Amino acid sequence: MERLSRGTKLMYAFWVKYRRLCKFFITLSCTCLFVWIGRSLFQHEATQTRFSGSIIGCYRNTNMIPRFVIKNPNRLESETIFDISDVVPEDYWLSFAALTEEGLYFQLIAKEKKEDSSSQVPPIMCLTEEDLRQIPIMWPNTVYDLLPANLYVYPDKFYLIFGSMDYSCPHKVYSIPKEGGEAKEIYDDISMRSFGDDISQKDGAPLQYKDGLICIRQDDSVLVFVNDEGEEPLFPLPIGTANLLKGWYEEGKSILLWSSDPNYAVVVNLQGEVLFELYRSWFLSSSCWDVHGNADNGILFTEASLVDYAYFPGFYALDFFRKERVRHFDSGIYDIRTGNMIPLYWKNQIDPVGWSKVNYDPAFFERLLASAKRNRAAPNVVDKQ
């Protein structure tokens, strides 16, 4: 008892002498334990998220060869190399549009300017399991002096955006029946110009929504919904100082807007009401996102920069709990259910193309590739139309 009493006295004396140091180490140990438990629970919960669809990327430095990689978002090691160079003529290159349950829709862009102005409008092609066909379209003469841009695929139609040679002029939208027919201009006041640095980040691209597009009106920077029936104003930009339209946060429900000065990001509903702040830089960060596609629970994005390529990494609150995060100028998946990030490690090798609604099905992709080989002479169809 005397020894115990002496030991207790020594411990008490040590505590009195080094009280502050002991409190510091106890607090530090509790904090580390809390973070470790939090990280374990967070990462376990993140593994429960399931995504729909398939992620599509395009290989760089392949001399414009239409060679894509299709990944399973739930098992990134599962992938299919999708090379359809068989159906692309030598004097054309492919502009990817959409992978649907029907097949692959794409455009063929002439590498050199044609003498016939009507040949400048890129044909819309559809590769199915059975064949390759060109959508027959009757274009008005007004499009021949315009530059084709984005193509959007719907169940019953296409929307193709055209821009003027004069970049200060607004873009136009043409509607085309799915099986072909007459192309009609439905809107002529879209702004496609970037409000931010257009070298190191992207903003302002129209968003596909229901049977139309959500886009920025050129005259007054109001976000509007346009379809074959007309125009419906949604809300004006900016919201606060956030004027960079990045894309969907949750597709069909909320939109991601970014501000360059100060650097922060907000998620708003379709009425322009701020739902929450996704990111805020407190110290010299130039981080921002480029959104390439969405699916249930997920966003395909690139960690870009607001200031040319002078990148200053930012810090996210959940970085304490994430196993890893997407590095600058690389691409990855953002899990909107948990806030987790899943890097794809595509930097300098693969450019993200989009997130297809078609669930990952290697057998379906192989059937499309087999169809491409059977139709390898089909590029002549471009000259027949």
Side-chain angles (χ1 to χ4, degrees):
M1 294 292 295
E2 185 178 348
R3 289 181 60 188
L4 181 61
S5 177
R6 189 182 301 117
T8 303
K9 289 179 180 179
L10 288 173
M11 290 178 63
Y12 179 75
F14 182 85
W15 169 261
V16 171
K17 186 175 181 180
Y18 299 104
R19 179 179 300 176
R20 291 184 178 179
L21 184 63
C22 289
K23 286 183 177 180
F24 170 78
F25 279 112
I26 291 173
T27 302
L28 179 63
S29 299
C30 291
T31 302
C32 292
L33 181 62
F34 169 77
V35 172
W36 181 80
I37 293 174
R39 280 175 58 88
S40 299
L41 292 175
F42 177 86
Q43 291 170 24
H44 173 74
E45 181 63 19
T47 61
Q48 308 306 306
T49 301
R50 287 295 176 265
F51 305 107
S52 61
S54 304
I55 291 175
I56 301 175
C58 178
Y59 284 94
R60 291 186 183 180
N61 304 320
T62 54
N63 297 318
M64 303 306 292
I65 295 174
R67 184 167 173 257
F68 303 92
V69 57
I70 305 177
K71 278 185 171 289
N72 182 348
N74 298 304
R75 195 167 178 265
L76 293 178
E77 60 271 23
S78 299
E79 64 179 37
T80 298
I81 306 303
F82 199 76
D83 186 341
I84 57 169
S85 54
D86 288 319
V87 296
V88 179
E90 292 183 0
D91 52 344
Y92 286 84
W93 57 272
L94 179 146
S95 175
F96 191 96
L99 177 63
T100 71
E101 298 289 349
E102 302 167 84
L104 176 69
Y105 288 94
F106 59 94
Q107 290 177 280
L108 292 174
I109 312 295
K111 294 180 180 179
E112 298 180 1
K113 188 173 182 179
K114 304 289 184 180
E115 293 182 3
D116 181 5
S117 58
S118 62
S119 300
Q120 290 300 109
V121 181
I124 300 175
M125 312 296 293
C126 179
L127 175 67
T128 68
E129 296 180 42
E130 290 75 32
D131 60 14
L132 172 72
R133 64 188 179 90
Q134 180 177 348
I135 309 299
I137 303 172
M138 293 179 288
W139 293 104
N141 294 334
T142 52
V143 305
Y144 296 150
D145 294 326
L146 301 176
L147 299 173
N150 304 26
L151 175 67
Y152 298 86
V153 181
Y154 299 83
D156 61 341
K157 63 187 176 184
F158 303 98
Y159 276 175
L160 182 56
I161 296 179
F162 286 87
S164 170
M165 302 290 185
D166 181 356
Y167 291 101
S168 64
C169 294
H171 285 59
K172 300 180 179 183
V173 183
Y174 283 81
S175 177
I176 307 138
K178 192 68 171 287
E179 297 304 318
E182 182 181 358
K184 297 180 180 179
E185 180 184 315
I186 65 163
Y187 195 67
D188 63 356
D189 197 21
I190 286 186
S191 171
M192 293 277 284
R193 68 177 185 272
S194 174
F195 287 104
D197 188 323
D198 59 0
I199 297 177
S200 59
Q201 65 89 41
K202 299 177 182 178
D203 68 276
L207 311 179
Q208 188 167 345
Y209 177 59
K210 294 184 177 179
D211 64 342
L213 295 172
I214 291 178
C215 53
I216 301 173
R217 191 162 61 194
Q218 173 101 343
D219 287 344
D220 51 13
S221 297
V222 169
L223 213 63
V224 296
F225 171 68
V226 299
N227 61 9
D228 288 16
E229 282 68 51
E231 170 195 87
E232 178 186 345
L234 299 178
F235 58 87
L237 293 175
I239 300 297
T241 58
N243 64 342
L244 306 184
L245 176 63
K246 285 297 184 177
W248 291 114
Y249 179 79
E250 191 172 358
E251 189 169 11
K253 297 180 181 179
S254 54
I255 295 172
L256 178 62
L257 301 176
W258 215 283
S259 168
S260 56
D261 188 18
N263 181 2
Y264 68 92
V266 291
V267 175
V268 302
N269 61 20
L270 299 186
Q271 291 73 48
E273 300 166 339
V274 176
L275 302 178
F276 58 89
E277 189 173 277
L278 179 68
Y279 173 79
R280 179 172 288 273
S281 166
W282 298 104
F283 183 71
L284 294 179
S285 169
S286 64
S287 295
C288 73
W289 290 6
D290 290 344
V291 175
H292 305 285
N294 304 75
D296 294 342
N297 296 323
I299 302 173
L300 175 62
F301 76 102
T302 295
E303 181 91 6
S305 174
L306 292 166
V307 188
D308 198 4
Y309 287 104
Y311 179 84
F312 301 96
F315 177 78
Y316 300 86
L318 288 178
D319 283 350
F320 279 118
F321 303 104
R322 295 184 180 114
K323 182 178 180 180
E324 50 190 342
R325 59 166 286 186
V326 176
R327 300 302 176 184
H328 68 283
F329 299 117
D330 202 354
S331 302
I333 299 171
Y334 179 77
D335 178 354
I336 62 176
R337 190 181 72 88
T338 65
N340 190 38
M341 288 185 179
I342 307 170
L344 294 175
Y345 301 109
W346 279 358
K347 184 177 180 181
N348 299 325
Q349 298 178 20
I350 300 173
D351 289 321
V353 172
W355 200 324
S356 170
K357 299 295 185 281
V358 178
N359 287 327
Y360 187 79
D361 182 357
F364 173 60
F365 306 148
E366 290 299 331
R367 290 194 296 271
L368 286 179
L369 289 172
S371 176
K373 291 186 180 299
R374 287 197 309 271
N375 292 281
R376 62 190 316 152
N380 296 327
V381 74
V382 174
D383 302 320
K384 293 177 183 178
Q385 299 293 327

